[in-house]
Amino acid sequence: MKLEELRQAQRELIDMLVKRADFQSLPKGLAFSYLGARVCYHDSHPLALFSEERFKDRSRFVSFLLHLKKAGHFSVFAHTPIVVDISGLSSEEKYQLAKTYFKAFFDEEKGLALFNLRHFAEALDETSFLRLISVDLNLEAIYVRIFKNKGSDWVIAWEGSLALAIDQAFESPKGLFYEREVIILEDKENPFNWTVVIAHNFSRIFSHQFVRHTWLNFNQRSHRYTKADFFVVPSCFKKEDVEVYEEFIVKALRVYEDWSTRMKKESARFTLPQGIATTVMASAPKFIWEDFVGKRAIPQAQEEIRDLATLLKNVLF
């Protein structure tokens, strides 16, 4: 199959999806697409993004999402779940949907399928898509928990609705090293238990492994556009190791900042250690997270990804 043939098949089937989709979750799920789009270009706390005027102003928010569609940035829309009623469809119709749309999950017992906004953004015209996303957000229904890494333990630092999280003051880190955070956002009313996990201030060594779990939808802070700032220290480093590591980082940052004046940051960053901190957002139904936990909450896994998987195992399952 050629790409245009696939696109045509998606356009031919989209009417069936629109007629059977439950769009009542969009007032919650659209916030996730916004977060995925902005986390790439943001270097402070991820939840601070919801304080931006382009998010709080409804017309600017809708215009921003429409701009993403026009620009072809479809990946961010995969963070917004849409449930589709498949009861009454023939086996052939369900087969056509399953083979045409990537990352669509079917629950025959419930008579439901889980699609996402990307499936609609790629197939709908701009007018229809604009009509779809022109809704008032419901942030009260999104449950948020923030965990901070304290030594070998995870401590819950805050929990409540996303509507309340927007009013929180998130501290600005100081120094080269900053504690890791895990932020979990849940739509508990979603029949597939849609869950968003943000690994904040984890290393790029971690992120290279995390993105291998391709059932998840990802967006990541980009060091093409944001400045290098913080770094991660492995727990196995002794005091003298940290001192050598910090000395190396300071020298690397000096070169990075100098070179950034005469070349793009994306080129200058080749001088930086792999321990540089990044932020990765991932979303999926709960059973996909169960798969991730089963593969990474094991002794053989790298420290950071094992810590994340163990935390999720303890709080989600």
Side-chain angles (χ1 to χ4, degrees), residues 228-247:
D229 42 25
F230 304 109
F231 294 81
V232 176
V233 180
S235 63
C236 64
F237 277 21
K238 298 177 181 178
K239 181 180 179 182
E240 56 268 30
D241 299 328
V242 176
E243 290 174 353
V244 173
Y245 183 41
E246 183 171 1
E247 182 180 350

Side-chain angles (χ1 to χ4, degrees), residues 1-2 4 13 17 20 35-36 63 68 76 86 112 122 129 133 164 174 217 286 289 292 300 314:
M1 176 179 280
K2 296 180 180 179
E4 184 48 41
L13 290 169
L17 290 184
R20 290 178 163 269
L35 186 59
S63 295
L68 293 173
V76 300
I86 59 170
L112 299 174
E122 289 181 329
F129 185 73
I133 63 175
L164 294 176
K174 296 181 175 65
N217 305 303
K286 194 173 180 179
W289 285 111
F292 167 75
Q300 303 95 314
N314 292 335

Side-chain angles (χ1 to χ4, degrees), residues 239-298:
K239 181 180 179 182
E240 56 268 30
D241 299 328
V242 176
E243 290 174 353
V244 173
Y245 183 41
E246 183 171 1
E247 182 180 350
F248 179 69
I249 289 170
V250 170
K251 290 180 179 178
L253 280 174
R254 197 175 296 130
V255 173
Y256 165 79
E257 289 168 0
D258 178 42
W259 288 13
S260 292
T261 62
R262 58 185 178 84
M263 65 179 71
K264 293 181 179 179
K265 288 195 288 290
E266 65 181 40
S267 298
R269 64 179 170 162
F270 274 78
T271 64
L272 298 172
Q274 292 189 75
I276 187 171
T278 187
T279 298
V280 187
M281 172 187 174
S283 64
K286 194 173 180 179
F287 74 88
I288 298 297
W289 285 111
E290 187 177 1
D291 175 74
F292 167 75
V293 164
K295 290 182 169 69
R296 295 295 184 167
I298 57 175

Side-chain angles (χ1 to χ4, degrees), residues 123-289:
L124 289 175
D125 59 57
E126 291 177 10
T127 301
S128 300
F129 185 73
L130 177 61
R131 190 181 308 119
L132 198 64
I133 63 175
S134 297
V135 298
D136 293 322
L137 298 181
N138 177 15
L139 306 183
E140 292 283 353
I142 301 174
Y143 178 50
V144 180
R145 285 177 285 178
I146 302 175
F147 296 87
K148 292 195 175 185
N149 188 225
K150 302 289 186 181
S152 59
D153 297 319
W154 289 101
V155 177
I156 189 161
W158 190 88
E159 63 180 319
S161 73
L162 182 55
L164 294 176
I166 291 176
D167 297 326
Q168 298 297 309
F170 299 103
E171 62 183 26
S172 298
K174 296 181 175 65
L176 286 177
F177 307 122
Y178 189 59
E179 61 192 7
R180 291 175 293 159
E181 287 187 26
V182 173
I183 305 161
I184 302 175
L185 303 92
E186 297 173 86
D187 176 2
K188 294 195 171 184
E189 297 174 349
N190 183 282
F192 290 85
N193 296 299
W194 191 257
T195 304
V196 175
V197 175
I198 305 171
H200 182 46
N201 285 330
F202 281 61
S203 75
R204 282 193 168 268
I205 292 175
F206 155 84
S207 69
H208 295 333
Q209 300 175 72
F210 195 25
V211 297
R212 293 175 187 165
H213 294 268
T214 53
W215 271 4
L216 299 166
N217 305 303
F218 290 104
N219 280 102
Q220 179 176 358
R221 175 186 171 185
S222 170
H223 283 105
R224 293 179 62 198
Y225 301 103
T226 63
K227 185 179 179 182
D229 42 25
F230 304 109
F231 294 81
V232 176
V233 180
S235 63
C236 64
F237 277 21
K238 298 177 181 178
K239 181 180 179 182
E240 56 268 30
D241 299 328
V242 176
E243 290 174 353
V244 173
Y245 183 41
E246 183 171 1
E247 182 180 350
F248 179 69
I249 289 170
V250 170
K251 290 180 179 178
L253 280 174
R254 197 175 296 130
V255 173
Y256 165 79
E257 289 168 0
D258 178 42
W259 288 13
S260 292
T261 62
R262 58 185 178 84
M263 65 179 71
K264 293 181 179 179
K265 288 195 288 290
E266 65 181 40
S267 298
R269 64 179 170 162
F270 274 78
T271 64
L272 298 172
Q274 292 189 75
I276 187 171
T278 187
T279 298
V280 187
M281 172 187 174
S283 64
K286 194 173 180 179
F287 74 88
I288 298 297
W289 285 111

Side-chain angles (χ1 to χ4, degrees), residues 75-98:
S75 68
V76 300
F77 296 121
H79 295 298
T80 297
I82 296 177
V83 176
V84 174
D85 179 5
I86 59 170
S87 61
L89 290 181
S90 67
S91 296
E92 176 61 25
E93 287 172 321
K94 286 183 276 191
Y95 168 71
Q96 291 298 327
L97 289 174

